[in-house]
């Protein structure tokens, strides 16, 4: 055996990168069959043997986990991150926080960085599958947990909220106040929560006998500017809604600004219900009715689930309940 042979020599002989050679030789399945064949053949021909001490160091845990949120500017995800971080610290882990900025390309960049940093596991609020890093993580059996959102076709444990319950609570409340034309400001259909809440809204409107006019639905992107634009479009219709349901806190902020710019009074001229109970929603005039779920609990449960997977557990997905917090923004009767 030639102890001077290194993994760089193996990679050069096989015609692959050092990273690919390392993954093949460590048994990581996130490689192609062709690459595995070439690397193993090169290692045999060169008489390469991995250094047992280095292999032991690589297998040691870093006690660091990655947390990739969708938008750090969104108070909801700030609370998710806080809950996850505190749960990690309680188990002697540190958290590396990253921001996807609601973009799959930026998501891929940070997932690659997490792998480079040798984190023991990753929690992600996914924007979608992206260009392949998320799938590579799944194939490579990196401990992985989805929080708030999921991606179709991935067998990954998740911690999410009961979107159907939350939407139905809001629609039922507005129906009880006498509203029949409820405008809905939804998230992008490319994101699981966007699809789930949209479908739940359609089902709730039908169940409570409200107007099913498709012009009462607008699509945003979970950011305030889209909430403003969506509210403007809905309120400019020939038959505008008497109530708005915004499927995210930032879009609710945008909608609130547009309503006020039009000289309308929330709770009197127009009812408004928002998703996510960010701290100051209860302090504005009038206070906003919200579909609330515990963002900190989402983060905490996701971290506990990830640590379970890191320890070799299978990890069972969790769905947390939602509740309606009724305030003055939605308690007035619609104008005749």
């Amino acid at each position: 055996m030639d102890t001077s042979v290194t993994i760089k020599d193996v990679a050069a002989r096989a015609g692959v990168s050092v990273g690919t050679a390392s993954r093949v030789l460590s048994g990581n399945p996130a490689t192609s069959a062709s690459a595995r064949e070439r690397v193993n053949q090169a290692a045999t021909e060169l008489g390469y043997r991995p250094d047992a001490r280095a292999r032991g160091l690589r297998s040691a845990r870093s006690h660091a986990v990655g947390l990739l949120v969708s938008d750090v500017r969104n108070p909801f995800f700030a609370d998710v991150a806080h809950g996850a971080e505190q749960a990690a610290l309680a188990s002697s882990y540190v958290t590396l926080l990253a921001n996807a900025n609601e973009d799959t390309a930026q998501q891929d960049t940070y997932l690659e960085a997490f792998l480079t940093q040798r984190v023991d596991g990753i929690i992600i609020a996914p924007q979608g599958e992206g260009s392949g890093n998320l799938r590579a993580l799944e194939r490579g059996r990196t401990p992985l947990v989805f929080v708030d959102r999921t991606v179709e076709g991935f067998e990954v444990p998740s911690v999410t909220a009961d979107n159907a319950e939350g939407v139905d609570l809001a629609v039922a409340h507005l129906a009880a106040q006498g509203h029949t034309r409820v405008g809905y400001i939804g998230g992008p259909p490319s994101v699981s929560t966007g699809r789930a809440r949209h479908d739940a809204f359609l089902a709730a409107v039908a169940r409570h006998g409200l107007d099913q006019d498709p012009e009462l639905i607008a699509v945003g992107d979970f950011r305030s500017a889209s909430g403003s634009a969506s509210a403007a479009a809905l309120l400019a219709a020939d038959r505008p809604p008497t109530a708005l349901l915004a499927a995210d806190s930032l879009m609710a902020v945008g909608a609130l600004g547009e309503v006020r710019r039009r000289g309308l009074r929330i709770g009197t001229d127009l009812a408004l219900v928002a998703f996510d109970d960010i701290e100051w929603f209860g302090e504005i005039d009038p206070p906003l009715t919200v579909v609330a779920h515990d963002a900190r609990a989402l983060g905490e449960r996701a971290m506990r689930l990830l640590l379970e997977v890191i320890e070799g557990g299978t990890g069972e997905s969790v769905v947390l309940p939602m509740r309606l917090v009724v305030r003055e923004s939605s308690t007035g009767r619609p104008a005749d």
Side-chain angles (χ1 to χ4, degrees):
M1 179 181 70
D2 184 357
T3 57
S4 66
V5 175
T6 69
I7 196 169
K8 291 182 179 179
D9 300 319
V10 175
R13 173 69 70 91
V16 300
S17 69
V18 173
T20 296
S22 176
R23 286 192 290 273
V24 169
L25 295 171
S26 66
N28 190 323
T31 52
S32 68
S34 174
R36 290 194 294 273
E37 181 179 355
R38 296 200 307 275
V39 170
N40 286 325
Q41 181 177 346
T44 299
E45 291 172 353
L46 294 172
Y48 172 78
R49 295 292 183 275
D51 186 301
R53 290 170 299 174
R55 183 169 55 192
L57 287 173
R58 285 193 298 273
S59 65
R61 289 184 182 170
S62 64
H63 281 271
V65 293
L67 173 61
L68 183 57
V69 298
S70 297
D71 188 345
V72 293
R73 296 169 299 180
N74 190 323
F76 171 79
F77 286 112
D79 284 344
V80 168
H82 183 261
E85 176 202 35
Q86 293 303 301
L89 285 173
S91 295
S92 301
Y93 277 78
V94 295
T95 304
L96 306 181
L97 177 64
N99 171 40
N101 206 39
E102 299 286 2
D103 179 71
T104 54
Q106 191 159 315
Q107 170 180 290
D108 282 332
T109 296
Y110 278 113
L111 290 178
E112 181 69 29
F114 282 155
L115 288 174
T116 302
Q117 294 297 320
R118 293 177 52 244
V119 296
D120 293 335
I122 299 171
I123 296 174
I124 176 174
Q127 323 317 299
E129 183 167 344
S131 63
N133 281 351
L134 191 58
R135 186 65 70 180
L137 286 170
E138 184 191 37
R139 287 199 304 265
R141 301 185 186 280
T142 299
L144 188 64
V145 168
F146 289 155
V147 65
D148 185 59
R149 306 175 178 182
T150 60
V151 180
E152 189 173 350
F154 280 74
E155 296 298 324
V156 173
S158 62
V159 180
T160 56
D162 193 336
N163 290 293
E165 176 187 38
V167 171
D168 191 69
L169 286 170
V171 172
H173 166 67
L174 292 170
Q177 301 304 306
H179 296 279
T180 59
R181 287 183 62 79
V182 176
Y184 177 68
I185 302 174
S190 59
V191 175
S192 64
T193 47
R195 295 191 302 274
R197 291 175 187 177
H198 171 270
D199 294 346
F201 179 75
L202 294 180
V205 165
R207 183 162 48 251
H208 295 286
L210 307 188
D211 196 329
Q212 299 179 55
D213 183 354
E215 293 190 358
L216 289 170
I217 296 177
V219 177
D221 62 4
F222 291 139
R223 291 175 175 170
S224 60
S226 71
S228 176
S230 295
L234 291 168
L235 295 174
D238 291 338
R239 296 181 61 215
T242 60
L244 293 177
L245 170 59
D248 148 88
S249 60
L250 291 185
M251 293 193 300
V253 170
L256 179 62
E258 178 61 27
V259 170
R260 287 180 168 169
R261 281 190 290 273
R262 289 172 175 266
L264 300 176
R265 295 167 297 171
I266 296 293
T268 302
D269 301 318
L270 183 77
L272 176 62
V273 177
F275 260 78
D276 307 333
D277 193 12
I278 64 178
E279 188 172 359
W280 55 269
F281 274 0
E283 304 302 325
I284 63 175
D285 184 22
L288 287 190
T289 294
V290 295
V291 178
H293 51 304
D294 193 335
R296 289 182 181 85
L298 278 174
E300 179 185 348
R301 292 291 291 270
M303 184 59 70
R304 285 163 45 194
L305 185 58
L306 179 64
L307 296 179
E308 177 185 331
V309 175
I310 289 172
E311 294 296 332
T314 56
E316 295 293 332
S317 293
V318 178
V319 178
L320 300 180
M322 290 190 173
R323 71 186 194 281
L324 186 72
V325 180
V326 177
R327 300 184 180 121
E328 295 172 24
S329 71
S330 66
T331 54
R333 305 288 297 182
D336 293 333

